[in-house]
Amino acid sequence: MEQDELYLKKRFLELSRRASDKNIVTFSNFLNLNELHIFHQISKEFRSSFQLSGGYCHAERQMAAFVPDALYYAWEYPIDAVLFTPLNVKFAENLTHRDVLGALMNLGIKREMLGDILVQDTEIILFCVTSMTEYIIEHCTKIRHTMVSGRIIPLTDFSYQPRLIEKESVVSSLRLDTILADVCKLTRSAAQKIISEGNAFINSRKIQQNDYNCQSGDILSVRHYGKFQIETSYGTTKKGRIKYRYKIYS
């Protein structure tokens, strides 16, 4: 077991123990897909119940809340949503997720303090740990060459519907290696390499079995390639190949 993974497991167990012993809600930082996989692996060992949230229902990066059984007070996730807009829309660049993340990393902010980053036209919505919000708004005033300003938006007022591009295709089976190769436009061997290296996730859980059978509604996340929603197959061709649909998160 790698040292980082061992530390993370101990950290989860400690947060759960503290929640149970002190009857308080404890929180992790934002967890990436691999960390979420480790989290689910040991969830049966927790001494408290738990919940996960990234600030909105489609979040990929999520924070764990460890909740004691006899909790007597209301609580909220220490998550803020910050809206960034250009000071001058006319001269704003077409910024990307990487541009935003780079600007924040240059401020010395650790990745685990940041949740998802949503770029929609000229608007950017960042989810972050509440303790970092003021610092981010004050210091993140420029992304690439675009001057921006940030402000908090209430999570209760936030709604987001991801842009999905629907595709139809035909495959020999619904095995993970076959589906991954098809949606990412790779060879079967390249897809199998991605899976064996632990870079494919179904519903936030790492899957390293090529023969995992994809189900309707599965969310497939592939590092460096993107996220896809697998839809139900709808019949076969005359040669017995499977027709199916999938959606690309754009």
Side-chain angles (χ1 to χ4, degrees):
M1 183 183 300
E2 298 213 359
Q3 199 66 28
D4 289 346
E5 182 176 331
L6 182 61
Y7 169 80
L8 190 60
K9 288 183 176 181
K10 288 182 176 179
R11 177 62 176 161
F12 290 148
L13 293 171
E14 169 60 21
L15 286 170
S16 178
R17 184 198 62 76
R18 190 189 309 167
S20 177
D21 290 351
K22 296 188 176 182
N23 203 33
I24 59 173
V25 182
T26 60
F27 302 94
S28 71
N29 290 322
F30 284 100
L31 307 174
N32 61 31
L33 287 173
N34 190 55
E35 291 165 339
L36 285 167
H37 173 73
I38 295 169
F39 178 90
H40 288 297
Q41 277 187 321
I42 64 168
S43 60
K44 291 182 179 178
E45 299 177 43
F46 295 156
R47 291 173 55 181
S48 65
S49 59
F50 66 86
Q51 297 179 31
L52 292 165
S53 175
Y56 70 109
C57 63
H58 296 284
E60 181 169 290
R61 296 178 64 85
Q62 298 191 55
M63 179 184 291
F66 297 89
V67 185
D69 295 333
L71 188 67
Y72 58 88
Y73 63 91
W75 61 275
E76 294 180 348
Y77 282 94
I79 297 174
D80 280 333
V82 178
L83 171 66
F84 286 100
T85 53
L87 294 181
N88 191 326
V89 176
K90 181 178 179 180
F91 297 107
E93 301 165 278
N94 292 320
L95 299 172
T96 66
H97 180 283
R98 180 175 293 182
D99 294 329
V100 181
L101 184 59
L104 295 166
M105 296 291 100
N106 286 337
L107 293 175
I109 301 170
K110 293 182 179 180
R111 187 64 180 100
E112 60 262 31
M113 307 302 284
L114 307 172
D116 284 5
I117 300 169
L118 308 176
V119 179
Q120 300 176 303
D121 300 322
T122 59
E123 293 187 342
I124 297 161
I125 298 171
L126 164 72
F127 293 85
C128 64
V129 174
T130 300
S131 61
M132 296 301 301
T133 304
E134 185 177 338
Y135 179 84
I136 289 171
I137 291 175
E138 181 180 352
H139 291 89
C140 187
T141 57
K142 186 177 180 181
I143 302 175
R144 286 187 63 188
H145 304 293
T146 300
M147 302 302 296
V148 298
S149 64
R151 63 179 176 86
I152 298 174
I153 56 174
L155 292 177
T156 52
D157 295 344
F158 178 77
S159 63
Y160 172 72
Q161 191 62 38
R163 296 172 182 172
L164 300 174
I165 301 171
E166 187 166 321
K167 299 281 188 177
E168 296 182 358
S169 191
V170 176
V171 289
S172 58
S173 77
L174 294 176
R175 282 173 47 121
L176 178 56
D177 55 353
T178 303
I179 294 294
L180 193 154
D182 188 55
V183 300
C184 294
K185 309 307 177 191
L186 299 169
T187 63
R188 184 85 166 269
S189 60
Q192 290 173 345
K193 186 172 186 291
I194 287 172
I195 295 167
S196 67
E197 291 178 346
N199 291 321
F201 300 82
I202 295 287
N203 305 325
S204 300
R205 295 174 185 264
K206 185 190 297 182
I207 305 294
Q208 292 183 273
Q209 295 77 41
N210 293 319
D211 60 356
Y212 169 86
N213 197 52
C214 293
Q215 306 295 315
S216 179
D218 276 352
I219 303 297
L220 168 61
S221 299
V222 186
R223 280 183 180 162
H224 309 303
Y225 287 91
K227 185 161 70 169
F228 312 86
Q229 180 175 319
I230 310 304
E231 298 295 326
T232 307
S233 61
Y234 59 105
T236 58
T237 66
K238 291 181 179 179
K239 293 185 178 181
R241 291 170 61 83
I242 298 171
K243 301 177 183 178
Y244 82 108
R245 295 185 179 93
Y246 63 94
K247 295 177 181 177
I248 304 171
Y249 286 74
S250 63

